[in-house]
């Protein structure tokens, strides 16, 4: 399992519109092959900052089954207009205890 973490800064005053766009586009992401779960969080101290957490079967599933498809195009059309800057996206794996 791979965790995609996207740090998203939204333009001030656009937070509620961004959250509504996320709700509208959630299915595009959540139903992509290889996607296990999707969660969006919002900053308390920085309410214009959001963190998207997506569990994928693999990085390849993220890149090939979502980023390289029309699903991603639709997703970005919905949420992209609200960005203050391009999101910072990285992938992580669990550290065994």
């Amino acid at each position: 399992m791979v965790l995609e973490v996207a740090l998203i800064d939204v333009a001030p005053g656009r937070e509620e519109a961004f959250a509504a766009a996320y709700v509208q586009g959630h299915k595009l992401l959540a139903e992509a092959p290889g996607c296990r779960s999707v969660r969006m969080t919002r900053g308390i101290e920085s309410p214009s900052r959001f963190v998207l957490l997506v569990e994928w079967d693999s990085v390849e599933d993220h890149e090939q089954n979502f980023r390289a498809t029309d699903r991603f195009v639709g997703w970005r059309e919905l949420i992209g207009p609200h960005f203050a800057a391009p999101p910072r996206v990285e992938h992580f794996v669990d550290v065994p205890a």
Side-chain angles (χ1 to χ4, degrees):
M1 192 273 306
V2 170
L3 178 65
E4 171 197 356
V5 178
L7 181 62
I8 304 169
D9 288 319
V10 172
R14 309 279 315 250
E15 298 90 352
E16 299 311 318
F18 172 78
Y22 165 72
V23 170
Q24 187 179 355
H26 179 269
K27 195 173 189 177
L28 290 169
L29 179 55
E31 292 183 354
C35 181
R36 294 183 180 194
S37 70
V38 179
R39 180 177 171 202
M40 182 75 76
T41 63
R42 184 176 181 179
I44 294 170
E45 293 81 9
S46 302
S48 292
R49 178 164 289 160
F50 292 77
V51 179
L52 175 66
L53 303 165
V54 185
E55 290 182 325
W56 294 98
D57 288 335
S58 67
V59 173
E60 292 75 24
D61 281 317
H62 176 213
E63 293 176 349
Q64 295 170 8
N65 296 338
F66 183 65
R67 295 284 306 246
T69 70
D70 289 339
R71 289 177 181 275
F72 179 72
V73 173
W75 168 255
R76 284 305 279 264
E77 286 175 353
L78 289 167
I79 66 169
H82 308 289
F83 295 164
R88 181 174 174 191
V89 180
E90 295 184 31
H91 298 96
F92 297 85
V93 294
D94 290 338
V95 175

